[in-house]
Amino acid sequence: MATTTKQDYYELLGVGRKAAQKEIRQAYRKLARKYHPDLNPGDKSSEEKFKQVQEAYDVLSDAKKRQMYDQFGFDAERRSAAPPGQGAAPNVDFGGFDFDGASGTNFRDLFSQFFRGGAGAAAAEENEPGSDLEYGIEIDFWEAVRGTVKKVTISRLETCSACGGTGGVGSPQTCEACHGTGHVSQTSGRMRFNVACSRCGGSGRVRPMCRTCGGEGRVRRAETIDVRIPAGVQSGSRVRVPGHGNAGTHGAPPGDLYFITEVKPHPYFERRGDDLYTVVPITVTEAALGAKIEVPTLDGRSLLRVPPGTSSGQKLRLREKGVPSVRQPGKRGNLYVELQVVVPKPVDERVRNLLRELAKLEPEDPRSDLFARAGT
């Protein structure tokens, strides 16, 4: 009996030989929708292609079947006769055996046991949870600090309202391909065995495919939602909206929706985590004698005590005047104020005389130990 040449299962699905199950499942669903007989009525080539795709998925979706296929391919008969050490299969001759009519033998039982429940087992629909979605969202400094609510339009897969997510419409009918048995016979070389019916998935019953979603059970729609941005987020924060990702298949739960925040910088405050940093100018007199000055904070104006003898660049801390903490509600960071001493320009002769007088009264040399410390 001549062996029918078949197209490689991986090529049929358009995936690599090392493809993960998720990739294989996605490729199968895409092709099954494309060639499904309900969407191509009267098209024999599409129906045949659909059967080939179903057969390929039936093998590659099962770990043991895939292992056998990867090792022996379609030509199991030739490999069973190959010399040892040349990729030969175990010394079992399948030639001449009819797996449907081999009475008095255990080959059918062994074959079914090896393939986890038999080649004719029903191929149940997989309920796959919906995938998560991720979007970027830009907010300004004050929205990040105080929190806000933003209206955002997203695109997501929702459960098809026409079929309720089942992918089929109307009442189940007897499958014409298998006449309600749930399995069909297939031949490879001299082997003949039963496999799950590609049309009904092994159930023996079919429902007309939903034309709204193409049998997927989901449709893509745009949706505008209100996103609550909590106070204290920063660039790179993930804001989660539960249950607003893509819908799952066949009643499986939906995924989640995530927004990655991008916060615009502020011209005065520099943020580092939950702490804020800023620079405040002071006069020479305030630096030398000390003073109480007003500085801007997130809550308005606050008094800051400048100690006498303050140097330019010295930092003072205002506790709990920073950004609210997202991880520790009720707590805030600190505000660090860097004091910058502004030296007056001696444009007036009286100012110059006062500075000269100050130099006489305070003859200290701030560079007295400079060269000693530098070692030069």
Side-chain angles (χ1 to χ4, degrees):
M1 182 177 181
T3 302
T4 303
T5 302
K6 290 189 176 184
Q7 185 178 354
D8 178 71
Y9 286 154
Y10 292 100
E11 292 180 2
L12 265 172
L13 297 183
V15 297
R17 300 191 74 84
K18 295 184 178 181
Q21 281 298 321
K22 183 177 181 180
E23 184 180 353
I24 292 174
R25 182 166 57 250
Q26 290 175 342
Y28 159 70
R29 286 178 173 167
K30 182 179 179 181
L31 292 172
R33 287 195 300 272
K34 180 179 180 181
Y35 295 112
H36 199 284
D38 288 348
L39 296 182
N40 302 276
D43 189 341
K44 294 297 183 181
S45 61
S46 293
E47 184 176 353
E48 182 61 30
K49 193 72 173 180
F50 177 78
K51 291 179 180 179
Q52 294 173 2
V53 168
Q54 179 67 43
E55 179 183 334
Y57 180 68
D58 181 64
V59 172
L60 299 186
S61 63
D62 184 283
K64 285 192 176 293
K65 290 183 183 180
R66 184 178 180 182
Q67 181 182 1
M68 287 285 289
Y69 176 74
D70 288 344
Q71 188 173 0
F72 305 124
F74 299 114
D75 198 8
E77 181 180 15
R78 182 183 64 81
R79 288 184 175 273
S80 66
Q86 296 185 13
N91 189 19
V92 178
D93 184 7
F94 292 104
F97 280 98
D98 182 340
F99 280 19
D100 271 337
S103 59
T105 70
N106 289 325
F107 277 88
R108 182 179 181 85
D109 295 337
L110 290 171
F111 193 85
S112 298
Q113 182 181 7
F114 185 79
F115 284 139
R116 294 181 182 175
E125 290 283 358
E126 296 182 46
N127 296 341
E128 184 179 355
S131 57
D132 295 335
L133 292 176
E134 193 173 280
Y135 284 85
I137 184 170
E138 188 178 60
I139 56 178
D140 64 35
F141 175 84
W142 291 108
E143 288 175 328
V145 168
R146 296 168 177 166
T148 186
V149 176
K150 306 280 282 188
K151 282 191 177 295
V152 181
T153 300
I154 62 169
S155 175
R156 60 186 292 263
L157 291 173
E158 296 182 354
T159 300
C160 177
S161 58
C163 64
T166 63
V169 294
S171 301
Q173 302 171 355
T174 301
C175 177
E176 296 179 357
C178 65
H179 305 290
T181 63
H183 62 267
V184 294
S185 296
Q186 287 189 353
T187 302
S188 179
R190 284 196 252 172
M191 294 186 298
R192 185 161 64 88
F193 49 89
N194 288 338
V195 297
C197 175
S198 60
R199 183 71 181 274
C200 65
S203 66
R205 309 277 286 175
V206 293
R207 297 173 65 191
M209 179 179 285
C210 175
R211 296 185 178 273
T212 302
C213 63
E216 170 69 12
R218 304 180 298 179
V219 291
R220 185 168 294 279
R221 289 196 178 96
E223 180 183 4
T224 300
I225 61 173
D226 290 331
V227 183
R228 189 184 71 83
I229 307 296
V233 298
Q234 54 188 310
S235 291
S237 294
R238 286 163 60 91
V239 179
R240 176 173 172 258
V241 184
H244 275 70
N246 286 326
T249 60
H250 304 287
D256 295 330
L257 173 63
Y258 291 91
F259 287 96
I260 311 301
T261 56
E262 181 65 32
V263 182
K264 296 178 183 178
H266 191 273
Y268 182 76
F269 295 109
E270 178 189 353
R271 182 174 176 179
R272 303 177 194 173
D274 293 334
D275 295 329
L276 293 176
Y277 292 78
T278 190
V279 177
V280 174
I282 59 174
T283 66
V284 172
T285 305
E286 290 170 333
L289 302 179
K292 289 183 178 179
I293 62 173
E294 287 186 331
V295 296
T297 70
L298 298 182
D299 308 310
R301 300 186 179 192
S302 292
L303 277 178
L304 177 68
R305 179 181 174 275
V306 179
T310 295
S311 301
S312 188
Q314 185 172 336
K315 291 185 178 67
L316 301 179
R317 179 177 63 184
L318 289 174
R319 293 180 180 273
E320 297 286 323
K321 291 295 184 180
V323 179
S325 174
V326 174
R327 293 184 176 85
Q328 297 177 296
K331 291 191 176 183
R332 295 177 60 174
N334 301 316
L335 171 62
Y336 292 89
V337 179
E338 179 181 334
L339 299 175
Q340 188 178 62
V341 179
V342 179
V343 179
K345 295 180 180 180
V347 293
D348 187 274
E349 184 63 28
R350 289 177 301 174
V351 174
R352 287 196 289 268
N353 290 333
L354 287 173
L355 291 175
R356 293 189 186 102
E357 187 67 24
L358 178 62
K360 293 178 182 179
L361 294 173
E362 191 68 35
E364 179 183 1
D365 184 1
R367 299 178 298 279
S368 58
D369 61 343
L370 178 64
F371 293 100
R373 288 189 287 118
T376 60

